[in-house]
Amino acid sequence: MKQAQSSSASAQPEKLRRALTTPLLTLYGLGVTVGAGIYVLVGTTAAEAGPYAPVSFLIAAIVVAFTAFSYAELSTRYPVSAGEAAYVEAGFRSGKLATVVGLAVALSGMVSAAAVAIGAASYLHGLIAAPHALLTIAVVTVMGLIALWGITQSVMVAAIITLIEIGGLIFVSVWGFGFSDPLGLDFVDMIPPLTGPHWIGIGAASLLAFFAFVGFEDMANVAEEVKDPVATMPKAIVLTLIIASILYIATTTAVLVAVPIDTLANSAAPLSLVFASAPVAIQQSFAIIAIVATVNGVLIQMIMASRVLYGLADRGHLPAVLATVSHRTQTPVVATLAVVCVIILLTLALPIDALAERTSQIVLFVFVLVNVALIRLKLRREKEKDHFKVPMIVPVFGVLTSVLLFGTAWL
């Protein structure tokens, strides 16, 4: 009998391990949110919004906030991998639409990871005399191996790197406000008039700034690996958004104070300009932090995209082979390898700015569908299990703000 039970147990497909706590999940969220967006795109945002770049980050944070609370409820209703697909399937009762959304989410992660990998390779190129394409492939391959290692190990690696990159942003803020020569703007110059054509530039810059916030929603896609998701998911999502918003606005303001805006707008490595007059050792130290920050984004987006493909396959929406989980590491090995290959192809095919804009648009499209799904679920008033709840006004504003920001791409 025992032998039969053992045989039956061994025949069961491997499942993901619930190992993530609130601190680890928050660091995971910060790791995928804080990274290439702020380290690379501050200059581009300043080129669009001028002195009002911090306002663009504030607008992006507000847009994200409504949808973040929608995700907090939905991730406790359905704590599974491929979260957005599960939410849309429940809200619209459509497996086909769920598959489209799941693939869109996975694609956004892979496109974002490709953009980040290009940025990481650019920083590395300054230290290592190797072809850019080779460095990009090396970054993606190494991060893929870490992602295959195990969820606890890969998130712990990402958490350590996240602490380093957050330290880098704090360093930029402190140096920009307290040690560098104030060659840029005064604080009063960063407050926009209530009316005027400058709001078109601020709106366009907000779409770029939004890319810097892309990531918190990825936390929903590791919900199947979270201990006590009902208690953990809302806290981790809110903490991630608050900490990221404070870091972004403080960093952008510090850079605008320290660096002339014309110089900033033309830079591919904007944060390093704050240390232009600093000792060489400090400049080199920050360059290393910037490399670490961008590499981390590749790892965490890779983890997210592979879990989405796994979740879709596990529910029969994609080929079953993508749901294969390693018995040894309990990670979705086939899905992870597929994600690595797609990211490498994207890095070789598209430039970083195009990748960033496409990522933002895909994510905003998903945000609209996820918020509408929550509205439909609430209107049904079905008997519900205990989970985190938000008022109806939250997903309604989530839809409106996402649509408005999506529309700025055509202004």
Side-chain angles (χ1 to χ4, degrees):
M1 178 67 74
K2 286 184 179 179
Q3 199 169 25
Q5 288 176 342
S6 175
S7 175
S8 175
S10 64
Q12 294 294 321
E14 292 289 340
K15 291 294 182 182
L16 304 179
R17 179 184 297 137
R18 290 197 179 275
L20 300 180
T21 59
T22 300
L24 271 180
L25 185 60
T26 302
L27 285 171
Y28 173 88
L30 287 170
V32 74
T33 304
V34 178
I38 190 69
Y39 275 84
V40 176
L41 295 176
V42 170
T44 310
T45 305
E48 293 281 357
Y52 312 126
V55 178
S56 296
F57 279 95
L58 179 60
I59 290 172
I62 292 170
V63 171
V64 167
F66 289 109
T67 300
F69 279 101
S70 292
Y71 270 84
E73 174 168 337
L74 286 163
S75 63
T76 59
R77 281 179 180 252
Y78 309 102
V80 295
S81 296
E84 289 96 340
Y87 312 155
V88 169
E89 185 169 21
F92 290 88
R93 293 174 174 168
S94 170
K96 290 182 179 179
L97 184 58
T99 302
V100 170
V101 169
L103 289 173
V105 171
L107 179 61
S108 73
M110 291 183 280
V111 174
S112 177
V116 175
I118 291 172
S122 298
Y123 279 112
L124 275 172
H125 190 68
L127 300 177
I128 302 173
H132 191 277
L134 181 62
L135 290 173
T136 304
I137 293 171
V139 167
V140 176
T141 302
V142 171
M143 293 304 104
L145 291 173
I146 294 174
L148 286 168
W149 186 14
I151 186 63
T152 304
Q153 294 87 343
S154 55
V155 172
M156 281 296 294
V157 169
I160 293 168
I161 297 175
T162 296
L163 293 174
I164 294 171
E165 63 189 10
I166 289 174
L169 294 182
I170 294 172
F171 189 26
V172 169
S173 299
V174 171
W175 194 272
F177 287 130
F179 295 93
S180 66
D181 296 328
L183 303 176
L185 303 167
D186 294 327
F187 291 112
V188 69
D189 297 325
M190 301 180 203
I191 302 173
L194 292 178
T195 59
H198 54 275
W199 283 102
I200 295 176
I202 292 172
S206 297
L207 186 61
L208 288 170
F210 177 83
F211 178 77
F213 286 95
V214 169
F216 84 87
E217 76 284 356
D218 294 348
M219 299 163 73
N221 293 307
V222 294
E224 200 166 320
E225 295 162 279
V226 172
K227 292 181 178 178
D228 190 9
V230 173
T232 300
M233 292 298 301
K235 286 189 289 186
I237 289 173
V238 172
L239 282 172
T240 296
L241 181 58
I242 291 173
I243 295 170
S245 299
I246 292 170
L247 285 171
Y248 288 174
I249 294 170
T251 301
T252 308
T253 304
V255 174
L256 285 172
V257 167
V259 181
I261 194 163
D262 292 339
T263 304
L264 178 63
N266 294 317
S267 175
L271 301 192
S272 63
L273 298 175
V274 174
F275 303 99
S277 59
V280 174
I282 289 178
Q283 293 181 24
Q284 291 177 340
S285 297
F286 182 75
I288 293 171
I289 291 173
I291 292 169
V292 169
T294 50
V295 165
N296 195 37
V298 179
L299 171 61
I300 297 188
Q301 290 284 11
M302 194 177 285
I303 294 171
M304 180 279 291
S306 64
R307 268 54 179 185
V308 173
L309 295 181
Y310 160 83
L312 289 172
D314 193 45
R315 281 189 282 282
H317 297 306
L318 289 177
V321 67
L322 290 170
T324 303
V325 174
S326 167
H327 177 72
R328 184 164 163 270
T329 64
Q330 289 185 280
T331 56
V333 58
V334 177
T336 302
L337 291 173
V339 166
V340 169
C341 292
V342 172
I343 292 172
I344 289 174
L345 290 174
L346 288 169
T347 61
L348 301 176
L350 294 171
I352 189 170
D353 55 347
L355 290 166
E357 190 172 346
R358 294 293 87 75
T359 301
S360 295
Q361 291 170 343
I362 293 169
V363 172
L364 283 167
F365 164 73
V366 172
F367 279 7
V368 170
L369 289 178
V370 166
N371 279 297
V372 172
L374 181 55
I375 292 170
R376 290 170 64 94
L377 286 167
K378 285 180 171 294
L379 288 174
R380 286 184 204 147
R381 300 184 182 278
E382 297 172 352
K383 187 176 180 181
E384 302 169 353
K385 297 178 181 178
D386 289 336
H387 59 76
F388 181 79
K389 297 180 179 69
V390 296
M392 177 67 85
I393 194 68
V394 170
V396 169
F397 272 95
V399 172
L400 293 175
T401 52
S402 296
V403 169
L404 287 172
L405 186 54
F406 189 91
T408 60
W410 285 273
L411 291 178

